[in-house]
Amino acid sequence: MPLNFEIVTPERQVAEGAADEIQIPGKNGYLGILPGHAPLLSELGVGEIVCRRGREARHLAVAWGFAEVLPDKVTILAETAERAEEIDVARAERARDRAEKRLREAQEETDFERAQVALERALIRIQVAGHGH
Amino acid sequence: MANVLDIRRRIRSVRNTRQITKAMKMISAARLRRAQERALGARPYGQMLTNILKSLVSRAEIYDPETGEPRHPLLARRPEKRILLIVVTGDRGLAAAFNANITKAALRFLREKQGSSIDVVAVGRKGRDFFRRRYPWNPDPLMRLGPVQLVAEHVGVLGKLQFSDAGRLAESLIAQYTEEKIDAVYVLYNEFKSVIAQRLVVERVLPIGELGAHEFAQAEEMTREERERAARVATSAAISTQEADTAAMDEHAAQFGVASQDYIYEQPPQELFRDLLPKYVAIQVFRAMLESVAAEHAARMTAMDSATSNASDMIDALTLTMNRARQAAITKEIIEIVSGAAAL
């Protein structure tokens, strides 16, 4: 029995389909979901979603979201979600460098948390983009 | 009588203008179509979010079971002493009365809420310019420069609107509301369901009332002439006057988060509710902006259609004048020749 999935952002429906296994970045750590999973609600952090079907795997980068897991279906509301092939690596790298610089030259008024989240997002996007080719 | 050459030149110039207004109408129609799609694209997320929040309300005991008082600060009502009003206009003109109608409605709202202090956040250049001219500009939250002041402006975001723009605005609203710097947030915008179903509304964003319901403090329908004209123009640009059919979409969204009574909660329901509610505020603001963008394109499309037909009328009138002038010139020439011949 395959596991249906749907990923929705405020802008559009990013992806849907069927998979054998889905990995989602829960707020408290990654969750691997197989068909028949017990109903579950979880917040998502910044991370990578992997939908595996046979030997094919689709990778997506998400930043903050919310997931509903049912035995035959996973629905994800994400604030942003990008498919691996859509990611602009150059932009992600620039964002990473910017965030690193901000953290390195951190001063009192620097918003540390924000810079850290930005860095995390950029790193995930670069990592996910690596699967797109 | 004007000379034929001059009139011909004017006709050419009006014809050029007509070419431009015609093109602008087509561009607005294309943009309107895209804006409508985007507004529709935002719907499932909004609906799903509303659903899950509703089901969390009972789970997380958001309302005190004994007193019925909400336990979340964004749901708490207070007397409206300080109001924040977001005014969504367009960045650009040439859209007939679109921007003027909004600023007029804003003034009406300000009059109605006289006695409260009002902070205005302007989204769109036209509204910003209007408020800058009339009211003090004061981004400093520790000061007040009058009962009405402009505290923030967002210019140039509507063109390529992203959810994060609305998210950031929502964050600042939530922070101010939670710190009790403001007691209510309203957003004034042009609601857009279809080209012939538009309203100017003032919607309350904070405190949050019933989830999924809209609370309007003010609403102004289109007049019949406006609706008829919009319908005619939309048909000529091949744009549907029907509201998008969202029934299937909504039904699908309605299944989200309500499938089971015994979900495993990875985080406590209270925490989920607390983290999700700000997204709800953000999506409200985002939706208002998306609809306003669609409405602006629709208004510009109608305005450019009128401009095009005005230009056609003008070309007709000028052509008539030119023919008359040419006739007159010929007649005059003949008379001159004839009288010249007679004089010999």
Side-chain angles (χ1 to χ4, degrees):
Chain A
M1 185 179 69
L3 192 57
N4 290 310
F5 67 93
E6 185 182 357
I7 300 168
V8 180
T9 72
E11 321 236 342
R12 69 209 162 107
Q13 187 196 51
V14 180
E16 68 169 336
D20 296 328
E21 185 202 343
I22 296 175
Q23 194 191 69
I24 56 176
K27 198 183 175 189
N28 314 332
Y30 276 88
L31 302 165
I33 314 282
L34 293 168
H37 197 287
L40 174 135
L41 295 174
S42 174
E43 241 184 292
L44 304 183
V46 176
E48 182 178 10
I49 297 178
V50 183
C51 305
R52 195 179 55 76
R53 167 110 216 200
R55 313 183 77 178
E56 291 269 306
R58 292 166 74 178
H59 297 256
L60 295 104
V62 290
W64 199 88
F66 186 81
E68 181 203 36
V69 176
L70 293 174
D72 59 344
K73 192 169 193 314
V74 176
T75 312
I76 293 166
L77 292 188
E79 191 160 313
T80 63
E82 287 169 292
R83 290 195 288 264
E85 62 273 17
E86 294 170 345
I87 294 173
D88 181 346
V89 182
R91 223 187 96 204
E93 279 170 352
R94 277 202 301 281
R96 178 196 59 193
D97 297 343
R98 238 184 356 256
E100 276 175 347
K101 185 160 169 255
R102 247 193 351 244
L103 287 173
R104 220 175 20 245
E105 297 164 6
Q107 283 162 8
E108 240 166 82
E109 67 269 24
T110 313
D111 190 340
F112 219 73
E113 212 172 313
R114 218 184 183 116
Q116 212 133 32
V117 171
L119 178 61
E120 216 175 312
R121 287 183 59 165
L123 288 175
I124 284 291
R125 294 178 71 227
I126 294 168
Q127 179 192 329
V128 170
H131 295 290
H133 312 287
Chain B
M1 191 161 261
N3 113 26
V4 180
L5 219 61
D6 284 347
I7 300 178
R8 188 166 287 151
R9 212 172 282 141
R10 276 209 62 198
I11 292 179
R12 206 176 305 135
S13 132
V14 174
R15 194 167 280 147
N16 284 340
T17 310
R18 185 176 63 174
Q19 207 76 55
I20 293 167
T21 56
K22 216 185 223 166
M24 282 179 78
K25 180 189 161 190
M26 300 316 282
I27 292 169
S28 299
R31 292 208 173 130
L32 168 60
R33 228 170 272 134
R34 268 216 14 234
Q36 274 178 304
E37 269 165 32
R38 288 201 73 189
L40 205 58
R43 197 178 168 93
Y45 184 94
Q47 298 272 325
M48 286 175 170
L49 198 60
T50 309
N51 260 320
I52 189 80
L53 279 167
K54 273 187 190 162
S55 77
L56 282 172
V57 163
S58 50
R59 270 278 164 179
E61 296 196 332
I62 296 305
Y63 291 92
D64 192 306
E66 268 157 37
T67 60
E69 286 294 306
R71 283 177 175 159
H72 193 285
L74 297 185
L75 302 171
R77 271 168 181 275
R78 304 190 276 268
E80 295 183 355
K81 285 199 287 257
R82 287 146 307 180
I83 297 172
L84 190 141
L85 176 68
I86 305 169
V87 180
V88 188
T89 57
D91 277 331
R92 288 186 294 166
L94 290 184
F98 177 77
N99 293 310
N101 284 343
I102 295 171
T103 47
K104 230 186 283 163
L107 290 182
R108 189 162 349 112
F109 181 82
L110 296 181
R111 245 194 332 269
E112 237 164 63
K113 297 283 178 184
Q114 242 167 22
S116 320
S117 358
I118 299 180
D119 288 350
V120 177
V121 172
V123 179
R125 177 174 289 115
K126 289 291 167 181
R128 192 272 312 260
D129 292 349
F130 176 84
F131 281 100
R132 276 258 181 136
R133 273 196 302 274
R134 276 177 173 250
Y135 297 105
W137 159 243
N138 173 29
D140 180 359
L142 299 174
M143 262 182 3
R144 267 218 91 82
L145 293 182
V148 179
Q149 57 179 10
L150 182 63
V151 296
E153 50 182 53
H154 300 266
V155 170
V157 295
L158 293 170
K160 42 181 174 9
L161 186 61
Q162 287 186 330
F163 182 65
S164 52
D165 299 323
R168 269 193 298 277
L169 177 53
E171 251 171 54
S172 96
L173 300 177
I174 290 165
Q176 291 181 64
Y177 191 80
T178 329
E179 290 162 20
E180 305 203 6
K181 290 198 176 103
I182 47 176
D183 303 314
V185 177
Y186 290 89
V187 53
L188 165 61
Y189 68 103
N190 193 322
E191 187 187 60
F192 184 95
K193 298 297 170 216
S194 82
V195 268
I196 53 165
Q198 300 186 49
R199 294 188 302 170
L200 268 183
V201 294
V202 180
E203 186 173 349
R204 201 182 72 207
V205 178
L206 284 175
I208 296 169
E210 192 193 328
L211 288 164
H214 300 292
E215 285 179 45
F216 298 113
Q218 202 173 293
E220 195 183 321
E221 303 278 344
M222 295 171 97
T223 63
R224 233 186 78 198
E225 296 94 83
E226 278 171 345
R227 186 165 307 158
E228 277 164 9
R229 206 168 63 157
R232 207 188 50 240
V233 176
T235 319
S236 76
I239 283 181
S240 163
T241 53
Q242 298 283 314
E243 273 180 50
D245 184 13
T246 53
M249 197 187 261
D250 291 351
E251 199 184 321
H252 177 68
Q255 291 162 6
F256 182 76
V258 293
S260 165
Q261 281 306 301
D262 9 76
Y263 283 114
I264 303 167
Y265 289 90
E266 272 284 293
Q267 290 83 25
Q270 288 84 350
E271 192 183 322
L272 288 179
F273 189 83
R274 197 195 59 212
D275 289 351
L276 281 169
L277 210 54
K279 310 294 170 191
Y280 182 77
V281 177
I283 196 92
Q284 301 291 332
V285 175
F286 187 54
R287 197 182 42 80
M289 289 179 180
L290 283 176
E291 288 194 19
S292 172
V293 169
E296 185 191 345
H297 290 311
R300 185 164 299 120
M301 183 178 77
T302 314
M304 287 303 120
D305 182 80
S306 322
T308 307
S309 70
N310 288 347
S312 298
D313 291 349
M314 196 160 186
I315 290 171
D316 288 349
L318 283 173
T319 312
L320 202 68
T321 322
M322 182 184 75
N323 287 343
R324 265 200 211 123
R326 198 185 57 214
Q327 199 96 64
I330 293 167
T331 313
K332 207 171 118 204
E333 227 167 275
I334 291 174
I335 291 174
E336 271 165 15
I337 293 168
V338 170
S339 37
L344 281 177

